[in-house]
Amino acid sequence: MEILWVLMAAIMMGAVLGPFLLRRRGGIRQVTPGSPDAADPAEYGFALQEELDIRMPGPDRDLLDVLDVVQQSQSWKAASQLLAGTEVHGEVRWQRVQAFAGAASLELQQRPGGVSEQPGGQWLRVWRAEAPKDAGGAAVHAEFLVQQAWRSSTSGTDEFRIILEEAKEACAQAALLSPGDPVPYIIELSIARGLAYPREEFEQLWLKILDRSPAHMGAHLAAVHYWCEKWHGSRDLAYNFAEAAAARAPKGSLLSALPLFAVYEHLPEVNLVRGFYQSEVVTKAVEGALFAVHSARPDDPMLAHVRHLLILFLVRSERWAEAMHQLVHVDGHVGALPWTLSSDPAADYAVYRALAVGGYEANGGSPATLPH
């Protein structure tokens, strides 16, 4: 019986890792680190693994500068000024609210506080105390509570529900302070998933977002989670939601890439079908995402999100040159799906990057042939 289990395990590992370690044509061989035959991502100008920024999917120099000021000075005022000057209905405001909340949450995790030490993220508490009518601070606080619930407690527990109920109240306060702002309602989408809103209540929340920013990509990404099979919907409901959004997407919108995120949310934990990533469903979603990337504005703040997910699918589909093209545009930042679900996002990203480089070179590619 033990031999049977060993054989089954070997078959499963081979099915999962086989496509990455050996290509049907040309071949990708595993070699020891430092071998003359080893593909070197550094030759393409890619960042070292330890230099990868896990905070954001792409560059936002203004945000990074303000984050540095806030964390060094422990003063909230620069963050308030940045959010006050950020367009309310756009994607950037949502990303910056997430970033400030994430920074405060990470500080608290690193420095929970004690008898002789203040807890991390104190600047956010002071922000709320000193400027209770600041809409930006209210939104960051609501998102902070949501992140705390998902990071520090277990879904379904009393602690989890209590934190999310507090976050729900914080969202309501933030919405009152900025009536036309979709961000408080986008934050509530994660609360709806955690507290299992009935579908009618969720759809009422969704309508509030559509009234304010109907093509908001970040909002649609958050909503897909609710409709997924592992939460409160099904594969079909998630696919239908994503495909309907893609069908009504305005010209240049990244919503055409939404079906790829729905497919990602329903990937099998163990894939034993060799051609799964060449299947019609996956191929159609990948092509839709590539179309969205090619059609979007180069400065679209959600573009990096789509490129990062494309890297995973293109590598698994053995479309090495296309994967390399996406890497050229996003390398240096890894704060996006699928890497953020890992305990070490930089390491996961680096593995896929190395596979892309290896596959690209095994099929005749080189730094000289890769357009930038």
Side-chain angles (χ1 to χ4, degrees), residues 17 55 68 95 126-127 138 144 184 208 216 239 306-307 311 322 330 339 343 346 357 369:
L17 299 177
R55 296 172 294 180
D68 287 341
Q95 292 192 17
V126 174
W127 188 357
F144 168 81
K208 293 177 182 177
H216 199 291
Y239 283 10
V306 180
R307 290 191 188 278
I311 290 167
E322 291 168 291
V330 300
W339 328 119
S343 59
V357 170
T369 61

Side-chain angles (χ1 to χ4, degrees), residues 28-47:
I28 299 177
R29 295 184 298 108
Q30 273 193 313
V31 295
T32 57
S35 166
D37 294 327
D40 184 3
E43 292 182 358
Y44 294 83
F46 293 148

